[in-house]
Each structure stands twice: as structure tokens, then as C-alpha cells.
Amino acid sequence: GIQVEQSPPDLILQEGANSTLRCNFSDSVNNLQWFHQNPWGQLINLFYIPSGTKQNGRLSATTVATERYSLLYISSSQTTDSGVYFCAVDDYKLSFGAGTTVTVRA
Amino acid sequence: NAGVTQTPKFQVLKTGQSMTLQCAQDMNHNSMYWYRQDPGMGLRLIYYSASEGTTDKGEVPNGYNVSRLNKREFSLRLESAAPSQTSVYFCASLRGANVLTFGAGSRLTVL
């Protein structure tokens, strides 16, 4: 199956800072999604982004499918951004990376 | 619109006991999934169903069985629970190659 690697594994931010999370994948994909898991365990879809760039408020994502990576940008981070960020790839057997744990300190 | 509903939310079992995790979605999605999440390991796919009447193994299927009862429901059964199956289980559904929607999760402890 497709291998998914996320970096960094952990990220500590001061409130208001910007950050970039990376997702590398080992093969071409038709589906790539970013998720946020909040401290209560709820998984929320952030972006469906098999290619191109999307923005949603302070979050944006870019996928360069030909180079097999995706980036998630968090701008002006807030404490509510804390949690684990996952990327998942593939069509029907979505494979997840191990995640990036983000801690935003006030 | 409830989305994806999982039951139960919490369960404690003794080694060797059996149980079924239930999942239902009301979004008319074709594909449904069961994942398990263990600390530091992300989500690993147990089984999935691309459409009603079909099921396929994922990354970690051993010790589990599934049933796609109809388009709405996809259940996960542990026939003889083991401590290694202590985990948080998530059900999810998908429409085409699009957004995956998760249930709230079921926390299972096997003693």
C-alpha cells in the first residue's frame, strides 16, 4: 500500500505563530485529505485536496501531486488549533500518516 | 442529519468475550470503513466496504469480522477479544473519492 509520512511529529507554537506541516506519500493518489483531531478525540475533515491549493480561514493547504507531497499551513495560531493533524491518501483504502501533534501555548 | 453514528461509546470486556460495534450513516454514502487508533500510531484500517454487499480487508484485519448489513450499516465484530484489541475504534463513510466523515469513536478496553 501507499506509505504516508508526516513531519514534524511534534510542534509547539506560541499563540500567533505560523507553521507548516508536511505530508509525503509514496505513490500517485486521487484522494488526499487533511484532518484535525481535537483533544476530545473528534476527527474533523479540514481539506479534500488531491491537487492545488485551498484556503479556509487561517488554514490553507497545497498539494503538489507530481512531487508527492502536501503542505498544511496554520497562520496566526490559536490555542484551539491544538490537537493532532493527519493526512490521508488513496481512493478507497484511505491510509493515514502517523500525524503531527500541535500544541499552541497562550 | 446525524452523519455517522457509532455505538457503544465505551465498552469493557474480559479476554475471550465477544462483542459487536455498530455503525450507521445517513448520508447515502457507498463506502464505509473501520479504523483503530492506538497511541502514537495514527489510524489503521481494519476493514472497509466499497459498496453494499462487499467487504475487504485493510491493514490489520486479524481478530475481526465485519458485516455490511445494508447501505446504511456496517458492523465490526470481535469474536474472542484479546488485550491487544484495546483501542479506540472509528467508523467512517465516504461518497466517491471525496470527503471522509468519521463517527465519534468507541473506546474499547479488554482486560
Side-chain angles (χ1 to χ4, degrees), chain B:
Chain B
N1 189 345
V4 179
T5 303
Q6 293 181 230
T7 56
K9 286 186 167 44
F10 299 95
Q11 183 73 49
V12 179
L13 293 176
K14 294 181 180 178
T15 297
Q17 287 185 318
S18 62
M19 76 158 298
T20 299
L21 297 174
Q22 307 285 356
C23 176
Q25 51 93 9
D26 61 2
M27 297 171 286
N28 202 34
H29 288 176
N30 288 324
S31 302
M32 297 186 73
Y33 304 78
W34 277 106
Y35 288 90
R36 61 177 287 174
Q37 185 177 26
D38 302 296
M41 298 190 72
L43 284 88
R44 292 183 292 168
L45 182 63
I46 305 171
Y47 271 94
Y48 70 104
S49 170
S51 62
E52 183 180 353
T54 68
T55 60
D56 285 287
K57 295 178 180 179
E59 182 184 355
V60 288
N62 292 345
Y64 305 95
N65 288 304
V66 290
S67 295
R68 183 73 183 269
L69 306 170
N70 47 56
K71 192 170 186 179
R72 289 187 66 247
E73 298 172 294
F74 188 38
S75 62
L76 179 72
R77 182 162 178 82
L78 287 70
E79 292 290 352
S80 179
S84 61
Q85 294 177 305
T86 294
S87 188
V88 181
Y89 292 84
F90 287 95
C91 178
S93 69
L94 182 72
R95 177 173 54 83
N98 214 308
V99 173
L100 190 67
T101 303
F102 280 94
S106 299
R107 185 174 295 274
L108 174 66
T109 302
V110 183
L111 303 175

Side-chain angles (χ1 to χ4, degrees), chain A residues 14 20 23 32 34 37-38 41 44 60 62-63 67 69 73 76 80 87 101 104:
Chain A
Q14 205 62 35
T20 302
C23 173
L32 187 145
W34 283 96
Q37 186 170 40
N38 65 24
I44 302 297
S60 62
T62 295
T63 297
E67 297 187 23
Y69 73 89
Y73 304 97
S76 304
T80 52
C87 73
T101 301
V104 181

